[in-house]
């Protein structure tokens, strides 16, 4: 007899059971979310309105910031609201929607990082053909392909979970819906699905991370052909990209490149890559990029007038 799916909602344990701790985290994460949205959307606006930032690199930076804002929005607002309540619940449908949203934006963001690495490779290794290869049409198509890739990745995640029977218990020791906590609650054997999740999520993370490391290795090796000023600018840009790649991929690989299971440290790592990293990305790019800082000052002074 097949197990019946009689669970209509899940109870999230969140980050802490302390009411005082929840109040502190509410204020902290609300401030972080505001900074994240303002920072990322400001970059999107600056890239759109500033003629000086017409290069493909800034187009993809705007795309990355948009994805960071979307990724943070799929998780952080719900977590902030839940911190106001002693009992935190989420319906099965809302849980699947959140799962889809986080993997859609997260998957697309990973592919945008790949496209950004390709853009830097063409700019540094094939400078004479850069604007021909990376024209506006190609940039838009690459971004759309990243979105389609994220969509397909997210659909696979939802299909893994959608047909699983949940007949109790319904308590998730996490602050949002993710694959491994949900697999642990399913009242059926999820060994094969768990291995598929490792191959899908973990495999993608490892392969893309290695491709990014190789591509940036090739780029850095090519810097010897540039002038000292060109080398300095390229190192600054690539340094920002590599920092973002490490911040995003290390926690993801720790969580997904292992046998399907949940560990106590998973929640702390999840806070880092779902809440902290989207806030840091705008700071990393703006503080290390003179053109972006200049465009930001120009926009602010224009508004002041």
């Amino acid at each position: 007899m097949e197990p019946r799916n009689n669970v209509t909602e899940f109870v999230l344990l969140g980050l802490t059971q302390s009411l005082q701790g929840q109040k502190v985290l509410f204020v902290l994460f609300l401030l972080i979310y505001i900074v994240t949205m303002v920072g990322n959307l400001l970059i999107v606006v600056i890239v759109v309105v500033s003629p000086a930032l017409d290069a493909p690199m800034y187009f993809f930076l705007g795309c990355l910031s948009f994805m960071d804002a979307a990724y943070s929005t799929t998780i952080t607002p719900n977590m902030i609201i839940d911190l106001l309540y002693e009992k935190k619940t989420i319906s099965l449908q809302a849980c699947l929607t959140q799962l889809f949203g986080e993997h859609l934006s997260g998957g697309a963001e990973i592919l945008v990082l790949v496209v950004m690495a390709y853009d830097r490779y063409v700019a540094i290794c094939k400078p004479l053909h850069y604007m021909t290869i990376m024209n506006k049409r190609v940039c838009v198509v690459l971004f759309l392909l990243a979105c389609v890739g994220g969509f397909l990745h997210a659909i696979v995640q939802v299909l893994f979970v959608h047909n699983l029977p949940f007949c109790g218990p319904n308590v998730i020791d996490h602050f949002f819906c993710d694959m491994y906590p949900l697999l642990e609650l399913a009242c059926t054997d999820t060994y094969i699905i768990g291995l598929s999740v490792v191959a899908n999520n973990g495999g993608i993370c490892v392969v893309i991370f290695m491709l990014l490391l190789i591509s940036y290795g090739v780029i850095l090796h090519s810097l010897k052909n540039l002038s000292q000023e060109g080398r300095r600018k390229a190192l600054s840009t690539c340094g920002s990209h590599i920092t973002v790649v490490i911040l995003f991929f290390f926690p993801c690989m720790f969580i997904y490149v292992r046998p399907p299971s949940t560990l106590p440290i998973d929640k702390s790592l999840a806070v880092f890559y779902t809440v902290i990293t989207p806030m840091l990305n705008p700071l990393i790019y703006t503080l290390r990029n003179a053109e972006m800082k200049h465009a930001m000052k120009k926009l602010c002074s224009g508004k002041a007038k």
Side-chain angles (χ1 to χ4, degrees):
M1 185 176 176
E2 290 290 324
R4 290 191 305 168
N5 191 356
N6 54 16
V7 171
T8 58
E9 67 175 18
F10 296 105
V11 177
L12 298 169
L13 293 184
L15 291 169
T16 179
Q17 301 300 304
S18 165
L19 294 179
Q20 189 63 36
Q22 288 183 23
K23 292 176 183 177
V24 173
L25 290 177
F26 172 81
V27 175
L28 177 63
F29 288 139
L30 180 60
L31 291 174
I32 289 175
Y33 181 64
I34 291 171
V35 171
T36 299
M37 295 306 291
V38 170
N40 282 293
L41 295 181
L42 183 60
I43 287 180
V44 173
V45 171
I46 290 172
V47 170
V48 169
V49 304
S50 177
L53 303 180
D54 198 34
M57 179 180 76
Y58 296 109
F59 171 77
F60 293 124
L61 176 56
C63 294
L64 182 70
S65 294
F66 176 77
M67 285 302 168
D68 270 329
Y71 186 60
S72 183
T73 300
T74 60
I75 296 170
T76 310
N78 284 342
M79 178 183 65
I80 292 171
I81 293 171
D82 285 342
L83 288 169
L84 297 174
Y85 298 95
E86 187 173 350
K87 186 177 182 181
K88 308 157 186 57
T89 60
I90 184 170
S91 68
L92 176 59
Q93 190 61 46
C95 186
L96 293 177
T97 302
Q98 186 180 64
L99 186 70
F100 175 80
E102 72 195 55
H103 283 277
L104 167 63
S105 51
E109 182 169 346
I110 285 175
L111 295 176
V112 168
L113 288 171
V114 174
V115 173
M116 292 175 75
Y118 175 69
D119 171 71
R120 289 301 83 204
Y121 167 78
V122 176
I124 293 170
C125 300
K126 300 179 184 293
L128 297 179
H129 305 286
Y130 177 57
M131 294 311 297
T132 303
I133 296 172
M134 300 300 293
N135 58 64
K136 285 187 177 181
R137 183 172 177 273
V138 170
C139 292
V140 172
V141 169
L142 288 174
F143 175 62
L144 291 177
L145 286 175
C147 293
V148 170
F151 177 81
L152 294 175
H153 170 69
I155 284 291
V156 171
Q157 306 304 306
V158 173
L159 290 177
F160 278 148
V161 177
H162 185 263
N163 293 321
L164 288 177
F166 296 100
C167 42
N170 67 337
V171 178
I172 298 177
D173 187 14
H174 217 309
F175 60 90
F176 68 98
C177 289
D178 204 6
M179 289 299 297
Y180 287 166
L182 287 173
L183 292 182
E184 286 191 345
L185 295 182
C187 45
T188 187
D189 184 12
T190 59
Y191 179 75
I192 300 299
I193 294 178
L195 291 181
S196 302
V197 172
V198 171
N200 186 29
N201 293 344
I204 288 174
C205 283
V206 171
V207 170
I208 291 182
F209 182 68
M210 294 305 297
L211 286 175
L212 288 171
L213 286 185
I214 292 170
S215 65
Y216 282 116
V218 171
I219 292 169
L220 293 175
H221 183 262
S222 302
L223 294 183
K224 64 179 185 292
N225 301 322
L226 300 180
S227 64
Q228 186 172 354
E229 178 63 18
R231 194 180 299 125
R232 185 193 63 79
K233 289 184 69 175
L235 280 173
S236 177
T237 303
C238 290
S240 300
H241 290 193
I242 293 169
T243 302
V244 170
V245 166
I246 291 173
L247 288 175
F248 191 88
F249 276 90
F250 271 29
C252 290
M253 287 193 295
F254 179 84
I255 288 176
Y256 289 114
V257 186
R258 70 178 194 224
S261 61
T262 56
L263 300 176
I265 196 175
D266 286 353
K267 286 196 283 188
S268 300
L269 285 173
V271 168
F272 186 78
Y273 71 79
T274 61
V275 180
I276 306 299
T277 300
M279 178 191 68
L280 292 178
N281 286 353
L283 297 176
I284 292 169
Y285 281 111
T286 53
L287 292 177
R288 294 179 64 93
N289 190 292
E291 289 85 356
M292 182 63 71
K293 285 191 286 187
H294 177 71
M296 190 175 292
K297 289 177 183 176
K298 192 173 179 180
L299 180 68
C300 293
S301 63
K303 285 185 176 180
K305 293 175 185 179

